[in-house]
Amino acid sequence: MSPMFFRFFHRKWVKVTCKVIDSRLHSVQNSHMKWAYIVQFAGPTGQKTQLEVMGDSRTLGVAVGATVPLLVSPDGKRAVFDRGDPQINAAQVVKNREQAEKERFRRQLEN
């Protein structure tokens, strides 16, 4: 799903923060592992809701115990990781790590 289509398709979905409760390997296809996660968040009426959410190759930093952004359907029955959020967007996470390494290396040179 292209980024434009992803945003368009989920435009009425609500952004929430969820806690990743558990994960399991869902499948392996062409050397790519697909993970399924159980996430917990406050549903549309405030009740604790748990759903299974499939991992996405465009996200990093989704691990058991992590708090990550999620997009939830208006009825609260479907959810996807908000892969556009810089906290878990794979490209942004890699960029942030590289920047942090450069800063750490620069600070070592100054000492």
Side-chain angles (χ1 to χ4, degrees):
M1 185 181 307
S2 75
M4 287 280 284
F5 184 73
F6 181 82
R7 286 189 195 107
F8 177 77
F9 184 75
H10 298 100
R11 70 188 177 282
K12 293 184 180 179
W13 290 32
V14 178
K15 185 171 185 170
V16 300
T17 301
C18 72
K19 180 165 179 139
V20 180
I21 305 298
D22 201 0
S23 67
R24 70 178 176 90
L25 182 61
H26 181 267
S27 62
V28 178
Q29 297 173 348
N30 301 327
S31 301
H32 294 284
M33 294 185 291
K34 191 167 187 176
W35 290 86
Y37 299 90
I38 296 174
V39 297
Q40 183 174 357
F41 59 95
T45 59
Q47 79 282 10
K48 281 189 177 181
T49 303
Q50 289 187 353
L51 291 176
E52 181 178 359
V53 177
M54 297 307 295
D56 189 319
S57 63
R58 296 177 195 101
T59 60
L60 285 177
V62 178
V64 174
T67 301
V68 297
L70 194 68
L71 295 174
V72 179
S73 64
D75 63 4
K77 295 182 180 178
R78 294 176 293 153
V80 294
F81 292 116
D82 184 4
R83 64 185 187 202
D85 189 287
Q87 179 185 345
I88 62 171
N89 177 277
Q92 189 64 44
V93 169
V94 169
K95 185 177 177 181
N96 291 346
R97 285 180 186 166
E98 289 173 351
Q99 185 63 34
E101 285 177 2
K102 287 178 185 176
E103 285 295 316
R104 178 185 50 81
F105 194 76
R106 184 186 57 76
R107 282 193 306 272
Q108 289 296 328
L109 283 174
E110 291 175 351
N111 289 334

